[in-house]
Amino acid sequence: NMDNATAREFVSDIGNEAERLSRITEDLLRLTRLDSGVAEPPRLVEAAPVLERVARMLRPVAEEKGVELLIVSITGAVVLATEGELHQILYNLAENAIKYNRPGGYVRVTAEPGEEATIITVEDNGIGIPAHELPRVFDRGFTGCNGRMDKRATGIGLYLCRQICRRLGHTIAVDSEPGRGTRVTIGLARPYLEVE
């Protein structure tokens, strides 16, 4: 006795939850491989195609939240990583920026080549992170507090980003101000080699 509109909503909710559980499983599997020292060797990867794929996946989420998702990739932005790891980092950071934003806000992901590293920034004008939380945002299991806590969060995403960066010799840093937004900056090592 369910009308079509309600049935579609239920199917959409089930699909979204299945996708969320799939991402959690993928995070846990990648974390297990990192912890055990079993990981695919890195190579030079172009950032633009990975950014485009992340944008395609997250744009519906951003639109539902009323957040504008902007992607800027400058030619020559390559990184030493695996494609899966780069995707994981960009997806986790952009998803968090959308999640902790508000209607009318924006999330901007930029990849810009430098002489020794490609700099990727994920910035937003969302709710921001209190100063006392900043030292803990990359800790395993930390899901935020003071109104930022998401009961469905696992506290794995940002920890995994940091662990991937450490494994590959990259840097990751976060700067934030409550009420004004957050900026995560990643320095991805860029040896003088041609992209495969």
Side-chain angles (χ1 to χ4, degrees):
N1 299 325
M2 188 182 297
D3 61 79
N4 288 338
T6 303
R8 281 195 295 272
E9 286 179 8
F10 272 115
V11 170
S12 176
D13 289 343
I14 291 168
N16 290 338
E17 189 62 18
E19 186 179 337
R20 186 181 76 86
L21 292 173
S22 176
R23 289 197 306 273
I24 290 172
T25 302
E26 186 178 330
D27 281 353
L28 289 171
L29 286 172
R30 194 175 298 280
L31 193 55
T32 300
R33 287 194 292 270
L34 284 171
D35 287 345
S36 63
V38 179
E40 183 184 342
R43 62 184 182 86
L44 282 177
V45 177
E46 290 188 74
V50 181
L51 276 169
E52 288 166 9
R53 189 164 73 251
V54 167
R56 282 196 302 272
M57 294 175 70
L58 286 177
R59 196 152 273 128
V61 179
E63 289 174 356
E64 184 177 347
K65 181 92 177 184
V67 173
E68 184 178 13
L69 179 59
L70 306 163
I71 303 292
V72 180
S73 182
I74 298 172
T75 303
V78 295
V79 302
L80 184 64
T82 69
E83 192 167 307
E85 287 173 331
L86 180 59
H87 182 274
Q88 192 97 43
I89 290 171
L90 294 172
Y91 188 96
N92 286 350
L93 293 177
E95 183 187 39
N96 268 10
I98 293 167
K99 183 192 301 183
Y100 296 111
N101 214 309
R102 47 192 158 219
Y106 70 82
V107 173
R108 181 184 295 112
V109 185
T110 305
E112 186 173 3
E115 289 186 4
E116 297 181 0
T118 286
I119 305 300
I120 293 180
T121 57
V122 180
E123 57 183 323
D124 64 72
N125 61 343
I127 63 175
I129 304 169
H132 69 274
E133 287 188 19
L134 286 174
R136 300 178 58 201
V137 294
F138 293 114
D139 288 355
R140 188 171 188 165
F142 183 69
T143 56
C145 52
N146 289 348
R148 292 185 68 254
M149 186 163 58
D150 180 349
K151 291 181 180 178
R152 300 193 311 164
T154 61
I156 294 174
L158 292 180
Y159 172 77
L160 184 55
C161 290
R162 185 181 64 178
Q163 293 304 99
I164 291 172
C165 286
R166 282 181 171 175
R167 179 181 91 84
L168 299 172
H170 305 323
T171 61
I172 184 167
V174 60
D175 181 45
S176 187
E177 185 176 342
R180 302 196 64 171
T182 302
R183 179 185 178 100
V184 179
T185 305
I186 312 162
L188 295 157
R190 184 176 181 269
Y192 295 101
L193 299 171
E194 293 297 322
V195 179
E196 294 180 7

